[in-house]
Amino acid sequence: MKLPSLAFRNPELVVLAGSMLVGSLGISLATVALPALARAFSAAIPSVQWVIIAYLVAVTASIVALGRLADIIGQTRVLILGLALFAGSSLACALAPSISSLVVARVFQGIGGAVLMALPVSMIRTVVVKEKTGSAMGLLGTMSAVGTALGPSLGGLTIERYGWSAGFLAVGLLACMLLTMAIATFAGRSSAEKTAPGSIDWLGSILLALALSTYALSMTSGNGPLDARALLPITAVLFALFAWRQKAAASPLVPVALVANRRIGLSLGMNLLVTTVMMSTLVVGPYMLSLGLGLGEASIGLVMAVGPLTSAVSGVPSGRLTDRYGAARMVPLGLLQIIIGLAALAILPRLLGVWGYGLTLVLLTPGFQIFLAANNTVTMQTVAEDKRGVLSGLLGLSRNLGFVTGASAMSALFAYNLGPAERAATDPTLIAHAFTGTFLMATALPLLALLADLFRPRLAETDREQQQEAR
């Protein structure tokens, strides 16, 4: 796939798109390395899983604080620091002598990855003209999808030939290249960049990190000694303490006025609902393809790649549609396509087999891209430039919460629909029935987002009236 001519003429946009690509590779590349890591370190599967969990928790817990830091000291500085941290920690991952040291390195890699996935969204309006914002947002979505699609195949190829460390080394070298390009491209830009006064609420950052960490643990702990029954009440208390701190802090991590903006809250909630559904195709799909349709691992990988590749192809056109017809109009259209795609995914694989599964991914994934490009554009237009860093962090936070929730909740829903057959899982008919029920139920999430979107124009009108009265 060719990048649009806009990127060729704009090296700053190339850096931002490349950063999004590398951040996505940080998540997807490690998934294929888990069996190799278990063999190399003679580690149990639960221990090896923390290579994935550590990155996701680090991204989720740090993304808001880093967005706030970008508002205070400048987005360019933080982007360069994020690239440097990601590159260094990736090389540390490749050289890790034990599974515990690898997990620690992944935490720092996740902090760098949070920068790479959050700041491009807020910086995009400073590197392209307003009329091209939607196209640029679509390019970022494309790079995220390409990273998701390339990760397993690139990781599998390098690990098979050169060992588990090769994948981390490859992504680290790519980050080093982007770091060099960013320093050269953005030279002199940071001194002229607008910044916001204030400081970071470190206590609030710690409380938020603890709350998000326990939330992520509750979603991934299964039936261990620290299961959801123990962790969710702790999570609720920590979130309550965080909310209290934000009201009391002189310079809150998340400005109360920003969170109180009902349009922003609506957009963040819709983002969480949709990304929860996005993760469902990754965590539930393999069960249907393997146990329901009888495919082997290689064939499953090829079929699963259809979704990310379709996202990669449709990302830029989705952005162009947003530019042409307006973001507010494209949000409900994207949600409608997601609803139709989920219903098709629930039914067509049972009727048409593998072809039906692939066709529904081609139908479903462009809906995700249309929604994300349009919703991000609408959301970023609601705040001033000096608040876009923290707002982009909040968008990233809602996305990652959706991923964590989807990875656990959708699997749990599938297991519930499967019932006692979960352990045996030998009857393709039962698997197909559970798969259909899961995705028919999943349509409730984008439907809820669509209903919420109906209130957005009314909220915007109310906000304008309140601003006029204040004047």
Side-chain angles (χ1 to χ4, degrees):
M1 183 189 69
K2 297 182 179 179
L3 287 174
S5 59
L6 176 65
F8 283 118
R9 297 194 301 266
N10 192 335
E12 294 177 339
L13 182 57
V14 172
V15 172
L16 298 183
S19 298
M20 184 69 76
L21 170 67
V22 169
S24 298
L25 280 172
I27 297 176
S28 62
L29 187 100
T31 57
V32 73
L34 296 182
L37 289 170
R39 292 192 299 269
F41 294 114
S42 300
I45 294 299
S47 299
V48 175
Q49 285 179 331
W50 273 97
V51 174
I52 303 297
I53 297 171
Y55 187 94
L56 185 57
V57 169
V59 169
T60 308
S62 64
I63 199 165
V64 175
L66 292 170
R68 177 62 176 158
L69 180 64
D71 288 335
I72 294 173
I73 71 173
Q75 296 177 344
T76 301
R77 290 189 181 95
V78 174
L79 178 65
I80 291 175
L81 289 173
L83 282 167
L85 178 61
F86 189 94
S89 56
S90 296
L91 298 179
C93 288
L95 299 174
S98 65
I99 194 68
S100 58
S101 58
L102 176 58
V103 169
V104 172
R106 285 283 286 175
V107 170
F108 287 98
Q109 190 187 37
I111 295 173
V115 174
L116 305 188
M117 288 186 284
L119 285 195
V121 176
S122 64
M123 294 179 67
I124 206 73
R125 292 173 63 86
T126 66
V127 302
V128 298
V129 296
K130 182 178 179 180
E131 292 75 15
K132 298 293 183 181
T133 301
S135 296
M137 288 288 189
L139 177 61
L140 295 183
T142 295
M143 290 299 101
S144 179
V146 168
T148 302
L150 279 180
S153 56
L154 177 63
L157 179 63
T158 55
I159 290 169
E160 182 178 351
R161 293 190 177 186
Y162 306 108
W164 68 264
S165 62
F168 294 109
L169 181 62
V171 75
L173 293 176
L174 180 57
C176 287
M177 293 173 57
L178 280 172
L179 174 62
T180 303
M181 187 175 180
I183 294 174
T185 302
F186 291 104
R189 177 189 175 98
S190 59
S191 59
E193 200 169 42
K194 292 183 179 180
T195 58
S199 60
I200 295 179
D201 176 20
W202 292 112
L203 177 57
S205 299
I206 293 172
L207 288 171
L208 180 61
L210 290 173
L212 292 175
S213 297
T214 55
Y215 173 77
L217 285 169
S218 71
M219 294 293 103
T220 56
S221 60
N223 295 320
L226 290 177
D227 61 11
R229 290 172 294 180
L231 289 170
L232 285 178
I234 297 174
T235 300
V237 171
L238 288 170
F239 272 120
L241 289 173
F242 173 73
W244 164 81
R245 174 61 185 174
Q246 295 312 286
K247 293 181 179 180
S251 181
L253 180 65
V254 179
V256 176
L258 191 62
V259 177
N261 186 308
R262 293 174 295 178
R263 285 187 292 165
I264 292 176
L266 191 70
S267 296
L268 295 176
M270 293 165 61
N271 199 46
L272 188 150
L273 291 172
V274 170
T275 52
T276 297
V277 173
M278 287 176 64
M279 182 59 68
S280 66
T281 60
L282 298 177
V283 297
V284 178
Y287 290 100
M288 179 63 178
L289 293 172
S290 175
L291 302 176
L293 299 178
L295 299 185
E297 291 183 356
S299 299
I300 291 173
L302 290 175
V303 176
M304 294 295 291
V306 172
L309 289 175
T310 303
S311 294
V313 172
S314 62
V316 172
S318 298
R320 289 176 177 169
L321 288 173
T322 298
D323 288 335
R324 182 171 182 178
Y325 297 106
R329 293 180 179 178
M330 296 307 299
V331 167
L333 291 179
L335 290 170
L336 282 173
Q337 185 164 347
I338 292 171
I339 293 170
I340 295 172
L342 287 174
L345 185 61
I347 297 171
L348 289 186
R350 300 185 67 174
L351 300 177
L352 304 177
V354 175
W355 287 102
Y357 195 101
L359 287 173
T360 55
L361 290 182
V362 173
L363 172 66
L364 175 62
T365 49
F368 291 140
Q369 290 295 81
I370 292 173
F371 169 80
L372 292 175
N375 191 58
N376 286 346
T377 301
V378 170
T379 306
M380 298 306 294
Q381 290 173 349
T382 61
V383 298
E385 183 176 346
D386 63 350
K387 293 291 189 295
R388 287 175 187 156
V390 69
L391 183 54
S392 68
L394 288 172
L395 282 169
L397 171 63
S398 66
R399 179 190 63 231
N400 284 295
L401 281 174
F403 287 161
V404 173
T405 304
S408 56
M410 297 305 293
S411 294
L413 179 60
F414 178 74
Y416 174 81
N417 288 331
L418 194 58
E422 180 187 5
R423 295 181 179 178
T426 56
D427 189 341
T429 302
L430 293 177
I431 296 292
H433 179 75
F435 182 86
T436 297
T438 298
F439 281 99
L440 286 177
M441 294 178 184
T443 59
L445 299 182
L447 180 60
L448 181 60
L450 181 61
L451 293 175
D453 186 64
L454 297 177
F455 292 94
R456 199 188 320 243
R458 185 179 302 176
L459 294 177
E461 183 179 352
T462 301
D463 290 342
R464 284 193 296 268
E465 292 176 353
Q466 292 176 348
Q467 291 174 357
Q468 292 176 356
E469 291 177 358
R471 294 175 184 173

